[in-house]
Amino acid sequence: HALWVYAALLLGTTLWAFSEAGMNAWRLMPRLLLPILLGIWLCTPWVRRKLDETLRSALATRALAVSVAISAIVWLASFAFLPGLQSANTPRALSAPPAQAGTSDDWKYYGRTPAGDRYSPLAQITPQNVQRLQRVWTFRTGDMPSDAETRNGREFNFENTPIKVGNSLYLCTPHRWIYAIDATTGEQRWKFKPETNTSANAYFACRGVSYYEKATDATCPRRIISTTADARLFALNADTGQLCPQFGVQGYVSLREHMGPVPPGFHFITSPPLVIDDRIVLGGWVYDNQTVWEPSGVVRAFDATSGALAWAWDLGKGNPTAPLGADDIYTRGTPNGWGAYTADPQLGLIYVPLGNATPDYWGGERRPFDDEYSSALVALDVRSGEERWHFQTVHHDLWDFDLPVGPALVDVQTSEGVVPALVQSTKLGDLFMLDRRTGQPIAAVEEQSVPTETAPGDHVSRTQPRSVGMPTLAPPRLTESDAWGATPLDQLWCRIQFRQSKYDGPFLPPSQQGNIAYPAFDGVVDWYGVTIDPVNRLLIANSSYIPFRNQLIPQADAIEKDYIEPWSGWSSGQTPPKPKAFEYAPQYGTPFAAHVKPWLNFLQVPCNSPPWGMLTAIDLDSRQIRWQRPLGTTRDTGPLGVHFNLPLHTGIFNIGGNIVTAGGTIFIAATADQYLRAFDEASGKKLWESRLPAGGQATPMTYLGEDGRQYIVIAAGGHGGLRTRAGDYVVAYALPSDTGRTNATTTPSGSAHQGMYAANGTSH
């Protein structure tokens, strides 16, 4: 009778699974895979022989086999309906870039130009020949996390995008070592290693350096501008790597002046300063969620030659750019701009993406100016620092939805003609298209009602702005049936947690019961932003989909349970103690600590179904999705952290940006499966991929070498938060040359030798 019962149970399970998940193979997998395997096992001879050899038993076996076949066919057929490469509109041919005399192939800014579009006018590599790309050199920086940093859970991220000036690449490592290397051969020119104490830093990252040139400066006419991990600004001679002595004090400018108490590790700069119009403009990263009244989010500009302070924009003052007295400090705890800035030199405007007043998950202590500028884009005059306009993307942000990167600039066609615009990406997945002169929306923005229940002592905005005139990258709302797992048991675990948690979309305020946060602080689109092809007016975005769970814990309870240590505030003169684990945010000075962690089941598998990563192209003229496809595989992930090397095309979590070239090719690494890939800009089709020696959680860049070849370069050093393989590699690719050049690995000392990763990348 067991065989009859199981045959009926399997058919019933298949009908139930189809009613909940439809013909979606990933959602059907936890519902059907193990029941099908169990059915197959029951049909095997070594099981059937233990039953009686009657006709009734034989019929039951056949019935079960039919049930297994039906269930298996339904599941296997559902793979044909998986989200694959989808085109929502009739593809249009891409335009060739207009001929531009004297166009430079230099990559002098994080996004190649101040506009931050990450578009290259180079067209040597095309969809027709990209399959021939080969790895031509690999540079090793020697900068790896120490054993102590690994033991203490420090996050080590090689997120650097090199800049290229002339035939030199300039880059920085997580510990802020600066290198100049030959752009054609990968050989080291010089190295600068600032002396810093990073023992208190919980986070190591440097996304890039900046370049400044002044021909009349006889001592340092060409400069590399960067910062240290202990908040100092410095300038190096780009030709020698020596400090520029007339900059600041022997090459350094302290960024702690007028900041008040700044404990070690509480303030430094992760993104490259913006250098424009003889100004070095920067904000800074603060140690989020530790306490109220953390160091100021002031935005400052320094003279690029002398290092003298040119202006400071402190939004907490009545006159934000008024000079400070000798003993004054910048307003503490204000929203900070920690991401890469962009600029329009013709308008004389810098675009600063702001975060939140600390901490993120409690807003009861925030001041009116905090709420006005939290998660806002601000346009500042590059010469004076005066504000021209600001636009807020989230009101009274309680979710850490800060703007992590400046907008990409592009001119768009409207009913009133061509308008200078910008597109601001957000962690929510919204894309705001604004007139970059005024900050007024070009694509419609709508205030939508959101949940208003909040923790005692806090308040919440009744509406939130959503960009309804542009396609969204935001995920659909979760339901209980969206709960996922590799097996029925871990899927059940996720369903139980869904019922135990509060969930009502992305703007449900944090609660003591515990919420599902989706999207969460890591965002749909994070610090890498989006890419824009200004010729074809296409926006290219890679996005991730990882739900989190968060919970507010009364301070006394968090201390009693030893999640955090007691602290009596800034007046005590003591440094705020670090949390026992990264997932606990102390939020000292507020009624609640916060617990924030990814929503994973006991197999450490996400509780939402794939796809977990996507690549999308959006037409900025029609404001419609041109094509969309899952990005990445499970090649380097698996249950319980075990890598089974199964490259399931689920789309995967990604951190790092993409670039696009005039040749019609998109390049991106970013994914947790450690590949650099090329895609056809017109269709979204994958054209080529190469295995990287470590995680490629950075944005690539491209240029022409002295040998006339177009190079694609990516930093491959992994990401501690994404848990990809750590490394110290900078890898360059180019089309084959008839010069007989050998593939080589270049060491920090500058010598070339054949190495493990010196072989050509694998093309598929």
Side-chain angles (χ1 to χ4, degrees):
H1 290 96
L3 299 181
W4 287 104
V5 170
Y6 194 77
L9 178 65
L10 184 55
L11 285 177
T13 298
T14 302
L15 290 173
W16 164 78
F18 177 77
S19 68
E20 273 212 328
M23 291 296 283
N24 183 309
W26 300 128
R27 298 185 68 195
L28 287 174
M29 186 180 82
R31 295 167 170 85
L32 290 183
L33 179 57
L34 279 186
I36 289 172
L37 293 177
L38 180 56
I40 293 172
W41 177 74
L42 289 172
C43 290
T44 57
W46 50 86
V47 173
R48 285 194 300 106
R49 289 194 188 105
K50 297 179 181 179
L51 304 176
D52 57 90
E53 297 295 334
T54 63
L55 177 61
R56 185 170 58 182
S57 176
L59 290 174
T61 302
R62 292 191 183 102
L64 178 55
V66 170
S67 295
V68 169
I70 292 173
S71 299
I73 289 171
V74 168
W75 184 50
L76 294 175
S78 69
F79 278 94
F81 297 89
L82 274 178
L85 177 56
Q86 299 179 8
S87 178
N89 303 280
T90 303
R92 62 176 171 86
L94 297 182
S95 302
Q100 299 180 17
T103 298
S104 171
D105 72 296
D106 280 352
W107 194 288
K108 292 185 178 180
Y109 293 84
Y110 177 73
R112 197 183 81 86
T113 69
D117 52 28
R118 300 202 300 252
Y119 169 83
S120 170
L122 300 179
Q124 186 181 107
I125 300 172
T126 67
Q128 289 72 40
N129 64 22
V130 69
Q131 295 90 348
R132 301 179 63 210
L133 277 182
Q134 297 178 343
R135 186 176 297 160
V136 291
W137 55 257
T138 300
F139 180 79
R140 302 290 301 273
T141 70
D143 188 9
M144 294 287 288
S146 68
D147 292 341
E149 289 167 351
T150 301
R151 285 194 307 271
N152 293 328
R154 310 291 176 84
E155 191 170 307
F156 185 87
N157 306 329
F158 195 13
E159 299 171 339
N160 179 259
T161 297
I163 61 171
K164 185 258 184 185
V165 184
N167 192 45
S168 292
L169 295 181
Y170 302 96
L171 60 101
C172 58
T173 70
H175 285 107
R176 308 308 182 90
W177 305 351
I178 311 297
Y179 283 96
I181 60 178
D182 187 294
T184 305
T185 66
E187 295 181 346
Q188 179 178 315
R189 298 189 188 277
W190 53 257
K191 171 185 176 181
F192 176 78
K193 184 178 178 181
E195 296 300 324
T196 57
N197 181 357
T198 59
S199 59
N201 290 39
Y203 179 68
F204 300 97
C206 182
R207 299 191 182 99
V209 299
S210 304
Y211 178 76
Y212 175 68
E213 184 171 337
K214 189 173 183 178
T216 58
D217 185 345
T219 307
C220 278
R222 302 170 62 249
R223 301 182 177 195
I224 297 303
I225 307 296
S226 190
T227 59
T228 66
D230 56 1
R232 287 176 292 156
L233 176 68
F234 62 88
L236 302 175
N237 187 312
D239 298 318
T240 66
Q242 300 297 311
L243 286 165
C244 297
Q246 73 274 39
F247 184 85
V249 178
Q250 295 301 310
Y252 287 102
V253 172
S254 172
L255 298 176
R256 296 174 182 260
E257 292 184 4
H258 298 289
M259 294 291 280
V262 183
F266 259 71
H267 171 67
F268 51 87
I269 291 80
T270 52
S271 299
L274 177 64
V275 179
I276 191 164
D277 199 9
D278 300 320
R279 297 283 190 263
I280 302 169
V281 187
L282 48 76
W285 179 91
V286 296
Y287 197 174
D288 287 343
N289 300 314
Q290 304 308 296
T291 175
V292 297
W293 322 125
E294 289 196 27
S296 177
V298 61
V299 177
R300 287 172 283 183
F302 298 87
D303 183 277
T305 301
S306 68
L309 181 68
W311 52 259
W313 183 74
D314 179 359
L315 64 86
K317 297 204 302 283
N319 180 358
T321 56
L324 293 183
D327 297 325
D328 293 339
I329 65 171
Y330 298 116
T331 309
R332 292 182 68 82
T334 52
N336 62 313
W338 57 270
Y341 301 171
T342 53
D344 185 330
Q346 291 184 332
L347 294 177
L349 292 181
I350 299 169
Y351 302 101
V352 178
L354 290 181
N356 297 322
T358 57
D360 290 311
Y361 304 107
W362 172 261
E365 311 294 332
R366 293 181 189 167
R367 301 150 295 192
F369 52 78
D370 294 328
D371 273 339
E372 183 179 354
Y373 285 92
S374 177
S375 300
L377 178 65
V378 182
L380 300 179
D381 185 285
V382 65
R383 298 303 299 176
S384 67
E386 294 180 355
E387 178 187 334
R388 297 277 189 88
W389 56 260
H390 70 275
F391 178 88
Q392 190 168 53
T393 61
V394 180
H395 306 320
H396 194 66
D397 186 352
L398 299 174
W399 307 272
D400 197 4
F401 288 153
D402 54 349
L403 293 182
V405 66
L409 313 188
V410 63
D411 295 340
V412 297
Q413 186 71 44
T414 70
S415 58
E416 299 177 356
V418 176
V419 174
L422 59 81
V423 179
Q424 178 63 61
S425 58
T426 71
K427 289 183 177 181
L428 278 162
D430 284 341
L431 300 168
F432 290 93
M433 181 186 286
L434 310 177
D435 186 319
R436 64 178 183 262
R437 300 166 299 185
T438 65
Q440 294 300 308
I442 295 173
V445 176
E446 183 180 281
E447 290 283 340
Q448 297 181 353
S449 298
V450 295
T452 57
E453 179 185 357
T454 189
D458 207 341
H459 62 279
V460 67
S461 173
R462 294 184 176 275
T463 63
Q464 292 289 350
R466 303 307 299 264
S467 178
V468 296
M470 286 283 289
T472 183
L473 303 173
R477 288 172 64 97
L478 290 171
T479 65
E480 183 184 324
S481 63
D482 291 321
W484 197 79
T487 70
L489 292 178
D490 58 319
Q491 185 209 31
L492 176 62
W493 174 285
C494 293
R495 292 182 83 121
I496 292 172
Q497 287 195 329
F498 185 89
R499 290 200 176 193
Q500 290 174 337
S501 306
K502 297 177 69 175
Y503 175 73
D504 191 9
F507 291 109
L508 180 67
S511 70
Q512 295 183 66
Q513 177 181 334
N515 295 3
I516 291 173
Y518 188 50
F521 73 91
D522 59 336
V524 172
V525 179
D526 205 340
W527 51 261
Y528 38 88
V530 297
T531 294
I532 289 180
D533 178 341
V535 176
N536 293 285
R537 291 177 300 285
L538 282 179
L539 180 149
I540 313 298
N542 52 289
S543 49
S544 285
Y545 301 96
I546 312 174
F548 274 63
R549 297 182 77 206
N550 63 38
Q551 183 180 15
L552 295 179
I553 307 170
Q555 285 280 342
D557 292 349
I559 293 171
E560 181 183 352
K561 295 177 180 178
D562 201 31
Y563 299 150
I564 63 174
E565 296 180 15
W567 183 57
S568 54
W570 292 107
S571 60
S572 67
Q574 297 177 336
T575 297
K578 291 184 177 180
K580 299 298 180 67
F582 184 77
E583 63 194 50
Y584 290 101
Q587 301 196 140
Y588 294 116
T590 76
F592 299 99
H595 185 211
V596 184
K597 65 177 182 179
W599 189 27
L600 308 175
N601 58 42
F602 56 81
L603 295 180
Q604 298 300 291
V605 170
C607 277
N608 65 311
S609 61
W612 295 314
M614 297 290 286
L615 186 65
T616 304
I618 294 174
D619 189 314
L620 293 176
D621 287 340
S622 66
R623 300 174 199 167
Q624 294 180 323
I625 291 178
R626 180 61 54 190
W627 52 258
Q628 192 169 46
R629 60 166 300 129
L631 174 66
T633 71
T634 59
R635 168 70 170 76
D636 291 291
T637 57
L640 299 174
V642 178
H643 297 177
F644 293 109
N645 294 336
L646 293 177
L648 303 177
H649 293 274
T650 57
I652 201 65
F653 322 120
N654 52 89
I655 298 177
N658 65 81
I659 64 171
V660 65
T661 71
T665 311
I666 298 165
F667 290 94
I668 182 171
T671 53
D673 60 352
Q674 298 180 195
Y675 283 94
L676 175 67
R677 293 182 170 94
F679 295 89
D680 187 337
E681 182 188 5
S683 67
K685 179 183 177 182
K686 188 181 76 173
L687 304 170
W688 170 88
E689 64 183 12
S690 176
R691 181 79 169 160
L692 294 172
Q697 279 64 63
T699 302
M701 49 86 71
T702 185
Y703 57 87
L704 280 182
E706 285 191 329
D707 58 0
R709 291 192 291 175
Q710 181 180 351
Y711 286 75
I712 307 294
V713 171
I714 181 71
H719 191 280
L722 202 57
R723 298 182 181 178
T724 52
R725 182 179 300 157
D728 63 341
Y729 306 87
V730 181
V731 186
Y733 296 84
L735 295 173
S737 171
D738 57 6
T739 61
R741 184 184 305 279
T742 60
N743 298 325
T745 297
T746 305
T747 66
S749 63
S751 60
H753 65 278
Q754 295 296 327
M756 177 178 179
Y757 294 106
N760 293 343
T762 303
S763 299
H764 301 283

